Amino acid sequence: MKIIKNTTDLSRRKFLKFSGAATATSGLLLAGLSTETVAQNVGVPKHWDETCDVVVIGSGFAGLSAAIEARKAGVSVIVLEKMPVPGGNSTINGGGMAVVGSDVQKAHGVKDSVDLMLADMYKAGLGLNYPQQARMVAERSNEAFEWCRDYLGVKFKDTLAHFGGHAVPRTHTTTIQSGSGIVQPMLQKCDQLGVQLQKKVYVKRLIVDGERVVGLEVIPNYRQGKEDASNVKFIKANKGVVMAAGGFAADVLYRTTQDPRLSAELDTTNHKGATAECLKELIRVGGNPVQLSWIQLGPWASPDEKGFGLAPIFAGYAAYPNGIMVDPTTGKRFVNELADRKIRADAIIKTGHPAVGICDEVGMQPAKHVMGKLLEREVVHKFNTLQELAAFYKIPEAELLAQAERYNSFVAQGKDGEFSKPFDMGQKLLGQAPFYGVRFWPKAHHTMGGIEIDTLARVVNIETRKPIPGLYAAGEITGGTHGACRLGTVAIPDCIVFGRIAGQQVVKA
């Protein structure tokens, strides 16, 4: 995808209108959806090529959690993955997990509660969060964390991070600061338990017999762009199907039907397989699509690298908590660097050009392990003085120096008098050379909307409001939990909590 790098290019496309105002009305946004198009049987095959108790679609956090729980219950499980490499967006995720009440929080003296995390989720979500689902994520976040650490063997740091939009430090991060630190142990556990993983398998349709989902028609040996291949096979699911295929932020055609501003000029952090075909199939068989137009932009992405990249690590662990972000035309801060993602993304876009994030040698340390690559790729630049940094990014020098001095006075006082940024991570004064700079411009990151599920991860029928028999879903393909904007690092507990529930419930079908 083309990376937008200048104001005029952006302005011509009128993308500057992106502000804090609500986007298009969420809910049933697909033209032509009616009861006549819902839950139509396309035909049950006379012969099934393969039979299994549970079929899970997607091999990210949610899908693998479901597969592990279902297999532990004693049933046969197949995981279908569209791409040649498992893990999807979960693998390139930053590895941060929001957790309430962990032993790590207690060891660091952090006072937290389920209600406090819920308040943060509701604030970011503009109150559109489904209360029961949101509460379950918060209440079971520590259980999910301990399951990852103690059962799967995931290695976490013994420190905490304070991500944007959270009232207190509650983000627990894998030692390698990547979601692969969770996905790999999950894949190893699946292998130990005898879960079958089939890669390069494209789901063409769900097969419904009466009201029940009984299996799938798939394209094996799938290659992207070959969705109409005639070489298909049929897989029967005796117990049910768990849909955990992720979001659609990489599907430009579909995301622009929800928000026309998110065109091809806007890059995405997602892998290229994050497309909408499984969501459409859930809708076709009667699932209720909710809040699809709420598509989150990542405010820590850089226009100087493609995809997710490494800038988000530098941003989330160094520049945002320990430094400042300024508008290069003024040299001044313009938003709380630890506000929620929507607030920061909207603020950056409103300026009409990339912002510049800045931190010093001390503040950089939490992201030290990725700095070599960031500097080599010229995503982050290193300077001996703030004056050099100002000259490079064409920032008014006097204004930047005055801003740094003003920010340091806030750090010294322990209170941000401009934007109320929290200083509860032991932040130091900005002043220890060398200094590091990076450009930030939002990218399409997370689709908050998806298919409606109940608290047992059952897909809800749009017409009857009852669960569709044999059909479960978890993770980003579901909607409602996060409302208008997902709070950073809440994706992992969401996926694991509801993935495990889906796996536990489908075996009872």
Side-chain angles (χ1 to χ4, degrees), residues 278-348:
C278 285
L279 174 62
K280 295 174 186 176
E281 192 59 12
L282 287 171
I283 295 170
R284 185 187 67 79
V285 300
N288 183 24
V290 296
Q291 301 180 343
L292 295 183
S293 62
W294 291 107
I295 299 173
Q296 181 183 91
L297 306 183
W300 23 248
S302 174
D304 298 318
E305 61 181 347
K306 293 182 178 180
F308 193 90
L310 294 175
I313 296 177
F314 176 69
Y317 294 94
Y320 277 146
N322 301 323
I324 59 176
M325 177 169 63
V326 301
D327 180 339
T329 64
T330 66
K332 297 178 180 179
R333 295 169 68 212
F334 56 93
V335 71
N336 171 4
E337 291 88 353
L338 290 178
D340 68 54
R341 291 173 175 179
K342 178 172 172 53
I343 289 174
R344 285 178 289 169
D346 287 353
I348 294 171

Side-chain angles (χ1 to χ4, degrees), residues 261-280:
R261 296 164 297 183
L262 306 186
S263 62
E265 280 95 9
L266 187 75
D267 197 1
T268 179
T269 63
N270 287 199
H271 74 105
K272 63 182 181 180
T275 48
E277 68 277 356
C278 285
L279 174 62
K280 295 174 186 176

